[in-house]
Structure formats: C-alpha cells, structure tokens
C-alpha cells in the first residue's frame, strides 16, 4: 500500500511540550490532566517522537511559548487568552516552567525554534524558512493546545499549501469530550489527514517498504 507521504519531504512540529503543560507541577497541567489520561496524550507523544526518530531523515521541530516581564507589563492589547496567561504568569521565560518536559524533550540535532508569543507558530517564528531549507512539504503537528496553537498553525500551514497532518491522540485541549469532538471537527476541515500516532508511524514505515 503506498504511503500518503514522500520520503525526504516530511517534518514533525511539536508544540509547547514544556513543564508548564506536562509536569504535574506546571501551572497549566491541571487544565489538561483529564484529557491526557483519557487520550493517553503523554504516552502517545513519546511513541510519536520515538517513532519519528527512527526515520533519521525526518526533521523534528520544537516550539514553545515564553513571555518576559516586559510582555506581561507593557502589552497594550491583551486578548482573553493572553489575559489568562498573564494573570497567572504562565510560560515565564527563563524559568523551569518553559523548559521542555524531560520525557518529551529534544535531542541534539533537533530544531528548537524561538519562542512564539501568539498562537500561530508559522507566523511568529522562522519555522517556514527552516521547513523550506529542509524541503519539508508534509508537516505533522502535535502537542497543545489543540484548539489554540496547534489549530492556528495547522490552518496557516494549509493556507500556505503544506500537506498537514494532525493527530487524534497526540494532542489535548481544555474542556473534556465536548471540546475534543469540536476540535476534531475543526481539524478535519483544515488538515489533509487526522490520524492516530500508530497510523502515522505505519505510513512512515511504508516509505521503507
């Protein structure tokens, strides 16, 4: 069976796999915890990362959110989402909170992008430049929040003619099953594939068949 992807043209973007979101001591962990458990998100992200790393030609990009004291105190127009983060000083730059969660952290040779302050990683970092340098056309996106940064980045990637893959189980969002179902409907509209980690890795393995 042919793969949905092309060898040498696939990349993986991992969004906000930091202590703030994934450690039990992180300030945002509680809003995701029930979904992590229901979906197996943390284990699935680990499986995804390990599976992609077996394909050494696939570049892995790590993105994270981080805010400085100046950000917290000087922004003139603060959205509702940013107000939530600023009021609780989430994703404070230079702290343990914005370090990558140890079990999902990057390895040498993987790309760590400059922090994004808005939702859309493509808009707020040099990700697209780096994708083009590595001839990536098929972009898989995993992480949190599925209804914010993941969806925003996936939408822009689709608009810029990338083939976009998002995941049913390497993702999470606050709000439980109702939010999850709405998230899946949205991702299915803007992604070319919405798949489980196992199905994605099987597609990659078929490239070697």
């Amino acid at each position: 069976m042919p793969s949905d992807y092309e060898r040498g043209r696939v990349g993986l973007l991992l969004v906000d796999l930091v202590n703030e979101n994934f450690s039990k001591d992180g300030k945002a962990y509680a809003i995701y915890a029930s979904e992590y458990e229901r979906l197996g998100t943390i284990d699935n992200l680990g499986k995804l990362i390990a599976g992609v790393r077996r394909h050494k030609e696939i570049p892995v990009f790590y993105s994270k959110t981080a805010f400085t004291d100046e950000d917290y105190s000087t922004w003139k127009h603060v959205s509702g989402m940013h107000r939530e983060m600023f009021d609780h000083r989430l994703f404070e730059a230079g702290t343990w909170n914005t370090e990558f969660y140890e079990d999902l952290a990057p390895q040498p040779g993987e790309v760590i992008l400059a922090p994004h302050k808005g939702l859309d990683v493509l808009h707020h970092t040099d990700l697209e430049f780096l994708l083009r340098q590595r001839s990536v056309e098929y972009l898989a996106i995993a992480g949190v929040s599925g209804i914010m940064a993941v969806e925003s980045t996936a939408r822009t990637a689709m608009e810029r003619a990338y083939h976009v893959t998002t995941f049913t189980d390497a993702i999470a969002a606050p709000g439980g099953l109702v939010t999850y179902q709405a998230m899946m409907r949205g991702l299915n509209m803007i992604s070319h594939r919405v798949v489980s980690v196992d199905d994605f890795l099987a597609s990659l393995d078929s490239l070697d068949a």
Side-chain angles (χ1 to χ4, degrees):
M1 179 179 176
S3 175
D4 294 284
Y5 304 101
E6 294 180 46
R7 180 189 293 278
R9 305 300 294 271
V10 180
L12 173 64
L13 172 64
L14 300 164
V15 181
D16 286 333
L17 306 190
V18 295
N19 288 324
E20 195 79 285
N21 291 324
F22 285 90
S23 170
K24 292 181 179 179
D25 294 324
K27 296 177 187 176
Y29 177 82
I31 69 173
Y32 296 110
S34 61
E35 285 296 276
Y36 288 163
E37 182 175 357
R38 187 178 72 83
L39 298 170
T41 303
I42 295 176
D43 287 344
N44 286 322
L45 282 165
K47 182 191 295 185
L48 172 63
I49 294 165
V52 168
R53 283 173 178 159
R54 290 197 296 271
H55 299 268
K56 298 187 184 299
E57 77 281 3
I58 297 179
V60 179
F61 304 87
Y62 277 80
S63 180
K64 64 180 176 181
T65 305
F67 300 107
T68 64
D69 285 335
E70 185 177 13
D71 293 324
Y72 294 130
S73 61
T74 65
W75 282 25
K76 181 177 181 181
H77 302 294
V78 182
S79 68
M81 175 203 67
H82 284 98
R83 174 57 58 206
E84 285 288 314
M85 292 191 285
F86 286 15
D87 284 350
H88 297 93
R89 290 187 70 90
L90 293 173
F91 306 109
E92 190 171 356
T95 68
W96 168 89
N97 305 70
T98 52
E99 293 175 5
F100 290 107
Y101 180 61
E102 184 176 6
D103 292 347
L104 305 173
Q107 291 185 351
E110 295 173 340
V111 181
I112 300 174
L113 302 170
H116 62 101
K117 299 178 188 292
L119 295 180
D120 185 344
V121 178
L122 272 165
H123 183 75
H124 287 276
T125 73
D126 60 352
L127 173 61
E128 185 160 28
F129 177 83
L130 296 170
L131 294 174
R132 294 188 182 280
Q133 289 293 324
R134 291 161 174 79
S135 300
V136 172
E137 180 180 347
Y138 299 82
L139 182 62
I141 309 172
V144 297
S145 168
I147 58 172
M148 292 188 282
V150 172
E151 182 178 344
S152 293
T153 306
R155 188 183 302 275
T156 297
M158 178 272 289
E159 296 282 5
R160 295 185 186 179
Y162 290 93
H163 179 287
V164 177
T165 297
T166 51
F167 293 91
T168 59
D169 54 0
I171 196 169
L177 183 60
V178 171
T179 298
Y180 176 83
Q181 291 171 335
M183 175 174 68
M184 287 296 110
R185 288 193 294 270
L187 290 176
N188 271 285
M189 294 300 290
I190 62 175
S191 306
H192 301 87
R193 295 188 76 206
V194 182
V195 296
S196 68
V197 167
D198 286 341
D199 285 346
F200 178 69
L201 294 178
S203 292
L204 296 185
D205 289 342
S206 73
L207 294 171
D208 297 329

